Every structure is written in structure tokens, then in C-alpha cells.
Amino acid sequence: MKAYLSEIVSTASDSLTARNMTREYIQARILGSLQRSGAMIPLAFHGGTALRFLYALPRYSEDLDFALEGEDQSYDFRKYLQMIRADLADEGYAVVLRINDQRTVHSAFVRLPGLLYELGLSPFQEEVLAVKIEVDTNPPAGAGLTTTVIRRHAILQLHHHDKGSLLSGKLHAILQRPFIKGRDIYDLMWYLSDPSWPAPNLIMLNNALQQTGWQGKVLGAETWRGAVSERLLSMEWDRVAADVRPFLESNTDAGVLTRENLLRLLE
């Protein structure tokens, strides 16, 4: 498998793209391990990497985000991580896990020291490539769920939030994240530029807002766009562009990501 990864990386146009492609390959291997361990029964995939894998979002992503849906008693975060480590070790990767499962959101870093050096992408042998995994064990109620089979370096059967719920998760992040993340804003433009994408799941969105101390009114079909527009107007746009640019497949997309274009889409 390492030879296959080296072949993938050799097609990259530059070092930054090669690093992004390497991380995405490891993400696919991790998803495959989660599938084999049974994790995709209680867990639902969501977030930017889900958009990338499921719907070809044209930007790379760093983390693997999941929600623990339903009352399935089989959930075992540490067991899943041990499966990931064993699978990657079998393929010749050195793997170090850093786990924090003492909070509502369980998190872990799957760290691969030396891989970037081995691939010729770093001059430092000790540099680490890491993929963060997060599981919200108390997600907001009301998410729609579905399952999709895709091929991304392997055939994956992914249990995930449906389209309307994925959009709601992104809106919640934009409205309530305490810092600016340009990748959220780019994803919103990507959503809104597709007229066939369903409307947000407002039940889930309002439940998520309530969970995180939202001080505004309940959002409805006629008001959510205004709330998002107000949030966009308060952002420093240079920081938005700077955050997302290293993850874009095409630099031309960064030029389209303007406040004016997004406000126009929201209208």
C-alpha cells in the first residue's frame, strides 16, 4: 500500500498538494478500518471531509467528524482506534495514537511520524502527519441519516447525515464557532451555488443552536439566511481567504470567495 501511496503522491503538481493527497489517502484507510470494525453502524459521518468523500467538495479537509446517533450499545471508541492502528501497522506505517475520551466529544489523533520524510515531502524525519477523529456522543436531535457506497482508494459504505442535515451542521458552525474558519465559508458558498441542494434541516439546526447557547430567535425558512448574512458581515475577510487557500484544489476558487458573492447567493 505504501508503494500505491508513493505513486499517488508522484502525480501531485506541488508539495502542498502532495501533502493533502497523502492525508486524504490515510483518511480513506481509516474509514475502511472503521467500516470493518462496525463503527459505521452507530456513527454517522459529517463535516467537511464527508462532503469531500461523498459529494466531491473541491477542497481537501483535515479531520474526520462523526455523530453518535441512536442508542446503539456497540459503540467503543478505543476499540475502533486499535483497529485503525493494527490495519495501518500491517501496511508498514508507524502509528501513534493520542486519545481524549473524557469529554462529550471524543477525540483522537492518528499520528504517522516519518511518513512525510519517507515520501520525500519533508526534510525532517521526525515530522508527523496527523489525522484527527472526533465523535460527538451527544449530537443535536433531528438529523436525517442515509448510507452511501463510494470508491475512494477503497470501496466504502458510509453511514452519514443526509444533505439537509450536512448543511445544517455547517450553518451551526458558522453561526456559533468562536473563531473564523474560512473553510466553513467556502463550504457554504459551495452548498449555495448548487440550486438542487436541499434546504437546511431546521429542526436539527435549532437543536444544535440551543445546545450551544444561541441567544437569537428560533430560525425558520424565512430567517436563517438573514442570520448567516449578519454573521458574514462581521468577519475579517482576509482571514477567511487565508484559512481556506491551502486546501483548495484550484486557486481560482479563492478569487470567487468574496463576501459580496456569498451575500448574493444568500439573497
mmCIF file of all heavy atoms in Angstrom, residues 32-64:
data_model
loop_
_atom_site.group_PDB
_atom_site.id
_atom_site.type_symbol
_atom_site.label_atom_id
_atom_site.label_comp_id
_atom_site.label_asym_id
_atom_site.label_seq_id
_atom_site.Cartn_x
_atom_site.Cartn_y
_atom_site.Cartn_z
ATOM 1 N N GLY A 32 -11.910 2.905 6.053
ATOM 2 C CA GLY A 32 -12.024 1.481 5.793
ATOM 3 C C GLY A 32 -11.922 0.659 7.072
ATOM 4 O O GLY A 32 -12.670 -0.306 7.271
ATOM 5 N N SER A 33 -11.012 1.042 7.958
ATOM 6 C CA SER A 33 -10.879 0.352 9.243
ATOM 7 C C SER A 33 -12.136 0.517 10.087
ATOM 8 O O SER A 33 -12.601 -0.431 10.724
ATOM 9 C CB SER A 33 -9.669 0.895 10.008
ATOM 10 O OG SER A 33 -8.465 0.555 9.374
ATOM 11 N N LEU A 34 -12.673 1.727 10.109
ATOM 12 C CA LEU A 34 -13.901 1.973 10.869
ATOM 13 C C LEU A 34 -15.051 1.123 10.332
ATOM 14 O O LEU A 34 -15.861 0.585 11.095
ATOM 15 C CB LEU A 34 -14.264 3.454 10.826
ATOM 16 C CG LEU A 34 -13.327 4.398 11.589
ATOM 17 C CD1 LEU A 34 -13.676 5.852 11.300
ATOM 18 C CD2 LEU A 34 -13.398 4.128 13.089
ATOM 19 N N GLN A 35 -15.108 0.998 9.027
ATOM 20 C CA GLN A 35 -16.151 0.174 8.411
ATOM 21 C C GLN A 35 -16.012 -1.283 8.844
ATOM 22 O O GLN A 35 -16.989 -1.927 9.245
ATOM 23 C CB GLN A 35 -16.034 0.303 6.895
ATOM 24 C CG GLN A 35 -16.996 -0.552 6.091
ATOM 25 C CD GLN A 35 -16.798 -0.338 4.594
ATOM 26 O OE1 GLN A 35 -16.956 0.762 4.089
ATOM 27 N NE2 GLN A 35 -16.412 -1.389 3.903
ATOM 28 N N ARG A 36 -14.796 -1.799 8.808
ATOM 29 C CA ARG A 36 -14.576 -3.202 9.172
ATOM 30 C C ARG A 36 -14.814 -3.464 10.660
ATOM 31 O O ARG A 36 -15.201 -4.572 11.047
ATOM 32 C CB ARG A 36 -13.153 -3.634 8.782
ATOM 33 C CG ARG A 36 -12.975 -3.841 7.284
ATOM 34 C CD ARG A 36 -11.633 -4.444 6.963
ATOM 35 N NE ARG A 36 -10.529 -3.530 7.265
ATOM 36 C CZ ARG A 36 -10.130 -2.562 6.460
ATOM 37 N NH1 ARG A 36 -10.753 -2.350 5.303
ATOM 38 N NH2 ARG A 36 -9.123 -1.781 6.792
ATOM 39 N N SER A 37 -14.591 -2.445 11.492
ATOM 40 C CA SER A 37 -14.779 -2.624 12.933
ATOM 41 C C SER A 37 -16.233 -2.511 13.365
ATOM 42 O O SER A 37 -16.547 -2.729 14.542
ATOM 43 C CB SER A 37 -13.947 -1.586 13.691
ATOM 44 O OG SER A 37 -14.482 -0.280 13.517
ATOM 45 N N GLY A 38 -17.127 -2.141 12.439
ATOM 46 C CA GLY A 38 -18.535 -1.967 12.780
ATOM 47 C C GLY A 38 -18.886 -0.575 13.251
ATOM 48 O O GLY A 38 -20.033 -0.308 13.632
ATOM 49 N N ALA A 39 -17.936 0.345 13.192
ATOM 50 C CA ALA A 39 -18.185 1.699 13.691
ATOM 51 C C ALA A 39 -19.234 2.451 12.881
ATOM 52 O O ALA A 39 -19.922 3.331 13.406
ATOM 53 C CB ALA A 39 -16.882 2.496 13.700
ATOM 54 N N MET A 40 -19.382 2.107 11.595
ATOM 55 C CA MET A 40 -20.304 2.859 10.753
ATOM 56 C C MET A 40 -21.761 2.469 10.988
ATOM 57 O O MET A 40 -22.655 2.959 10.288
ATOM 58 C CB MET A 40 -19.942 2.690 9.280
ATOM 59 C CG MET A 40 -18.565 3.205 8.902
ATOM 60 S SD MET A 40 -18.199 4.890 9.448
ATOM 61 C CE MET A 40 -19.392 5.827 8.515
ATOM 62 N N ILE A 41 -22.011 1.618 11.978
ATOM 63 C CA ILE A 41 -23.398 1.341 12.379
ATOM 64 C C ILE A 41 -23.875 2.406 13.370
ATOM 65 O O ILE A 41 -24.871 3.085 13.125
ATOM 66 C CB ILE A 41 -23.531 -0.079 12.950
ATOM 67 C CG1 ILE A 41 -23.174 -1.105 11.872
ATOM 68 C CG2 ILE A 41 -24.951 -0.324 13.477
ATOM 69 C CD1 ILE A 41 -23.089 -2.529 12.378
ATOM 70 N N PRO A 42 -23.161 2.621 14.497
ATOM 71 C CA PRO A 42 -23.629 3.660 15.416
ATOM 72 C C PRO A 42 -23.219 5.074 15.017
ATOM 73 O O PRO A 42 -23.840 6.047 15.450
ATOM 74 C CB PRO A 42 -22.963 3.276 16.746
ATOM 75 C CG PRO A 42 -21.713 2.562 16.352
ATOM 76 C CD PRO A 42 -22.058 1.825 15.087
ATOM 77 N N LEU A 43 -22.187 5.197 14.180
ATOM 78 C CA LEU A 43 -21.664 6.523 13.854
ATOM 79 C C LEU A 43 -22.182 7.015 12.511
ATOM 80 O O LEU A 43 -22.356 6.230 11.577
ATOM 81 C CB LEU A 43 -20.133 6.506 13.814
ATOM 82 C CG LEU A 43 -19.409 6.141 15.106
ATOM 83 C CD1 LEU A 43 -17.902 6.250 14.909
ATOM 84 C CD2 LEU A 43 -19.863 7.015 16.262
ATOM 85 N N ALA A 44 -22.398 8.343 12.438
ATOM 86 C CA ALA A 44 -22.781 8.986 11.178
ATOM 87 C C ALA A 44 -21.700 10.001 10.809
ATOM 88 O O ALA A 44 -21.351 10.879 11.611
ATOM 89 C CB ALA A 44 -24.138 9.667 11.309
ATOM 90 N N PHE A 45 -21.175 9.884 9.623
ATOM 91 C CA PHE A 45 -20.120 10.747 9.093
ATOM 92 C C PHE A 45 -20.738 12.104 8.753
ATOM 93 O O PHE A 45 -21.825 12.200 8.180
ATOM 94 C CB PHE A 45 -19.570 10.066 7.850
ATOM 95 C CG PHE A 45 -18.257 10.554 7.332
ATOM 96 C CD1 PHE A 45 -17.344 11.232 8.119
ATOM 97 C CD2 PHE A 45 -17.914 10.278 6.003
ATOM 98 C CE1 PHE A 45 -16.118 11.640 7.609
ATOM 99 C CE2 PHE A 45 -16.693 10.676 5.487
ATOM 100 C CZ PHE A 45 -15.797 11.359 6.290
ATOM 101 N N HIS A 46 -20.022 13.185 9.087
ATOM 102 C CA HIS A 46 -20.486 14.520 8.697
ATOM 103 C C HIS A 46 -19.286 15.451 8.633
ATOM 104 O O HIS A 46 -18.152 15.043 8.883
ATOM 105 C CB HIS A 46 -21.554 15.042 9.673
ATOM 106 C CG HIS A 46 -21.057 15.310 11.061
ATOM 107 N ND1 HIS A 46 -20.623 16.535 11.483
ATOM 108 C CD2 HIS A 46 -20.921 14.484 12.146
ATOM 109 C CE1 HIS A 46 -20.256 16.476 12.752
ATOM 110 N NE2 HIS A 46 -20.418 15.237 13.169
ATOM 111 N N GLY A 47 -19.520 16.715 8.290
ATOM 112 C CA GLY A 47 -18.428 17.678 8.222
ATOM 113 C C GLY A 47 -17.797 17.768 6.846
ATOM 114 O O GLY A 47 -18.238 17.152 5.875
ATOM 115 N N GLY A 48 -16.707 18.560 6.783
ATOM 116 C CA GLY A 48 -16.076 18.851 5.502
ATOM 117 C C GLY A 48 -15.504 17.638 4.795
ATOM 118 O O GLY A 48 -15.593 17.528 3.569
ATOM 119 N N THR A 49 -14.916 16.702 5.543
ATOM 120 C CA THR A 49 -14.350 15.518 4.889
ATOM 121 C C THR A 49 -15.452 14.632 4.337
ATOM 122 O O THR A 49 -15.280 13.986 3.292
ATOM 123 C CB THR A 49 -13.461 14.726 5.858
ATOM 124 O OG1 THR A 49 -12.593 15.627 6.556
ATOM 125 C CG2 THR A 49 -12.621 13.709 5.113
ATOM 126 N N ALA A 50 -16.607 14.612 5.010
ATOM 127 C CA ALA A 50 -17.750 13.871 4.462
ATOM 128 C C ALA A 50 -18.180 14.474 3.135
ATOM 129 O O ALA A 50 -18.473 13.745 2.178
ATOM 130 C CB ALA A 50 -18.909 13.877 5.463
ATOM 131 N N LEU A 51 -18.218 15.794 3.057
ATOM 132 C CA LEU A 51 -18.567 16.442 1.782
ATOM 133 C C LEU A 51 -17.560 16.092 0.695
ATOM 134 O O LEU A 51 -17.915 15.884 -0.457
ATOM 135 C CB LEU A 51 -18.615 17.962 1.958
ATOM 136 C CG LEU A 51 -19.746 18.545 2.790
ATOM 137 C CD1 LEU A 51 -19.634 20.063 2.819
ATOM 138 C CD2 LEU A 51 -21.105 18.131 2.234
ATOM 139 N N ARG A 52 -16.304 16.051 1.075
ATOM 140 C CA ARG A 52 -15.237 15.729 0.121
ATOM 141 C C ARG A 52 -15.392 14.305 -0.414
ATOM 142 O O ARG A 52 -15.358 14.075 -1.628
ATOM 143 C CB ARG A 52 -13.884 15.892 0.834
ATOM 144 C CG ARG A 52 -12.677 15.410 0.054
ATOM 145 C CD ARG A 52 -12.227 16.409 -0.943
ATOM 146 N NE ARG A 52 -11.028 15.945 -1.635
ATOM 147 C CZ ARG A 52 -10.600 16.460 -2.771
ATOM 148 N NH1 ARG A 52 -11.254 17.444 -3.350
ATOM 149 N NH2 ARG A 52 -9.507 16.012 -3.337
ATOM 150 N N PHE A 53 -15.589 13.346 0.478
ATOM 151 C CA PHE A 53 -15.663 11.949 0.064
ATOM 152 C C PHE A 53 -16.986 11.621 -0.630
ATOM 153 O O PHE A 53 -17.014 10.874 -1.606
ATOM 154 C CB PHE A 53 -15.476 11.036 1.278
ATOM 155 C CG PHE A 53 -14.035 10.741 1.591
ATOM 156 C CD1 PHE A 53 -13.197 11.724 2.086
ATOM 157 C CD2 PHE A 53 -13.510 9.478 1.380
ATOM 158 C CE1 PHE A 53 -11.863 11.459 2.373
ATOM 159 C CE2 PHE A 53 -12.175 9.200 1.661
ATOM 160 C CZ PHE A 53 -11.346 10.202 2.161
ATOM 161 N N LEU A 54 -18.072 12.180 -0.134
ATOM 162 C CA LEU A 54 -19.395 11.802 -0.630
ATOM 163 C C LEU A 54 -19.835 12.604 -1.849
ATOM 164 O O LEU A 54 -20.504 12.073 -2.739
ATOM 165 C CB LEU A 54 -20.436 11.964 0.475
ATOM 166 C CG LEU A 54 -20.311 10.997 1.655
ATOM 167 C CD1 LEU A 54 -21.098 11.527 2.852
ATOM 168 C CD2 LEU A 54 -20.807 9.616 1.271
ATOM 169 N N TYR A 55 -19.463 13.893 -1.882
ATOM 170 C CA TYR A 55 -20.017 14.779 -2.913
ATOM 171 C C TYR A 55 -18.955 15.570 -3.677
ATOM 172 O O TYR A 55 -19.272 16.535 -4.346
ATOM 173 C CB TYR A 55 -21.026 15.744 -2.276
ATOM 174 C CG TYR A 55 -22.154 15.017 -1.582
ATOM 175 C CD1 TYR A 55 -22.257 15.011 -0.191
ATOM 176 C CD2 TYR A 55 -23.100 14.289 -2.307
ATOM 177 C CE1 TYR A 55 -23.287 14.327 0.459
ATOM 178 C CE2 TYR A 55 -24.117 13.601 -1.664
ATOM 179 C CZ TYR A 55 -24.209 13.620 -0.288
ATOM 180 O OH TYR A 55 -25.224 12.940 0.342
ATOM 181 N N ALA A 56 -17.681 15.148 -3.549
ATOM 182 C CA ALA A 56 -16.588 15.734 -4.331
ATOM 183 C C ALA A 56 -16.408 17.226 -4.084
ATOM 184 O O ALA A 56 -16.141 17.996 -5.015
ATOM 185 C CB ALA A 56 -16.791 15.461 -5.823
ATOM 186 N N LEU A 57 -16.548 17.662 -2.846
ATOM 187 C CA LEU A 57 -16.207 19.036 -2.493
ATOM 188 C C LEU A 57 -14.782 19.324 -2.967
ATOM 189 O O LEU A 57 -13.864 18.566 -2.647
ATOM 190 C CB LEU A 57 -16.295 19.207 -0.973
ATOM 191 C CG LEU A 57 -15.856 20.554 -0.393
ATOM 192 C CD1 LEU A 57 -16.893 21.626 -0.696
ATOM 193 C CD2 LEU A 57 -15.635 20.438 1.116
ATOM 194 N N PRO A 58 -14.560 20.416 -3.736
ATOM 195 C CA PRO A 58 -13.234 20.634 -4.321
ATOM 196 C C PRO A 58 -12.229 21.294 -3.377
ATOM 197 O O PRO A 58 -11.490 22.191 -3.758
ATOM 198 C CB PRO A 58 -13.541 21.526 -5.529
ATOM 199 C CG PRO A 58 -14.765 22.280 -5.138
ATOM 200 C CD PRO A 58 -15.571 21.352 -4.276
ATOM 201 N N ARG A 59 -12.230 20.863 -2.150
ATOM 202 C CA ARG A 59 -11.168 21.266 -1.228
ATOM 203 C C ARG A 59 -10.814 20.072 -0.334
ATOM 204 O O ARG A 59 -11.654 19.228 -0.032
ATOM 205 C CB ARG A 59 -11.589 22.463 -0.362
ATOM 206 C CG ARG A 59 -12.554 22.120 0.768
ATOM 207 C CD ARG A 59 -12.546 23.198 1.852
ATOM 208 N NE ARG A 59 -13.487 22.901 2.924
ATOM 209 C CZ ARG A 59 -13.196 22.187 4.006
ATOM 210 N NH1 ARG A 59 -12.006 21.637 4.129
ATOM 211 N NH2 ARG A 59 -14.109 21.988 4.940
ATOM 212 N N TYR A 60 -9.573 20.028 0.061
ATOM 213 C CA TYR A 60 -9.128 18.986 0.975
ATOM 214 C C TYR A 60 -9.557 19.326 2.394
ATOM 215 O O TYR A 60 -9.865 20.481 2.711
ATOM 216 C CB TYR A 60 -7.613 18.826 0.898
ATOM 217 C CG TYR A 60 -7.132 18.309 -0.437
ATOM 218 C CD1 TYR A 60 -6.669 19.180 -1.414
ATOM 219 C CD2 TYR A 60 -7.147 16.950 -0.714
ATOM 220 C CE1 TYR A 60 -6.225 18.712 -2.647
ATOM 221 C CE2 TYR A 60 -6.707 16.461 -1.944
ATOM 222 C CZ TYR A 60 -6.244 17.357 -2.903
ATOM 223 O OH TYR A 60 -5.822 16.879 -4.122
ATOM 224 N N SER A 61 -9.568 18.321 3.250
ATOM 225 C CA SER A 61 -10.027 18.508 4.617
ATOM 226 C C SER A 61 -9.107 17.753 5.562
ATOM 227 O O SER A 61 -8.423 16.805 5.160
ATOM 228 C CB SER A 61 -11.472 18.016 4.755
ATOM 229 O OG SER A 61 -12.004 18.333 6.023
ATOM 230 N N GLU A 62 -9.085 18.166 6.826
ATOM 231 C CA GLU A 62 -8.119 17.601 7.773
ATOM 232 C C GLU A 62 -8.702 16.533 8.693
ATOM 233 O O GLU A 62 -8.048 15.548 9.010
ATOM 234 C CB GLU A 62 -7.540 18.725 8.648
ATOM 235 C CG GLU A 62 -6.654 19.693 7.893
ATOM 236 C CD GLU A 62 -6.054 20.735 8.799
ATOM 237 O OE1 GLU A 62 -6.822 21.476 9.442
ATOM 238 O OE2 GLU A 62 -4.809 20.805 8.873
ATOM 239 N N ASP A 63 -9.929 16.738 9.180
ATOM 240 C CA ASP A 63 -10.468 15.918 10.255
ATOM 241 C C ASP A 63 -11.548 14.963 9.763
ATOM 242 O O ASP A 63 -12.165 15.182 8.713
ATOM 243 C CB ASP A 63 -11.081 16.804 11.354
ATOM 244 C CG ASP A 63 -10.099 17.839 11.868
ATOM 245 O OD1 ASP A 63 -8.879 17.600 11.787
ATOM 246 O OD2 ASP A 63 -10.552 18.895 12.362
ATOM 247 N N LEU A 64 -11.789 13.926 10.545
ATOM 248 C CA LEU A 64 -12.904 13.006 10.315
ATOM 249 C C LEU A 64 -13.889 13.204 11.465
ATOM 250 O O LEU A 64 -13.556 12.922 12.627
ATOM 251 C CB LEU A 64 -12.408 11.558 10.281
ATOM 252 C CG LEU A 64 -11.477 11.181 9.128
ATOM 253 C CD1 LEU A 64 -10.877 9.796 9.353
ATOM 254 C CD2 LEU A 64 -12.200 11.231 7.792
#
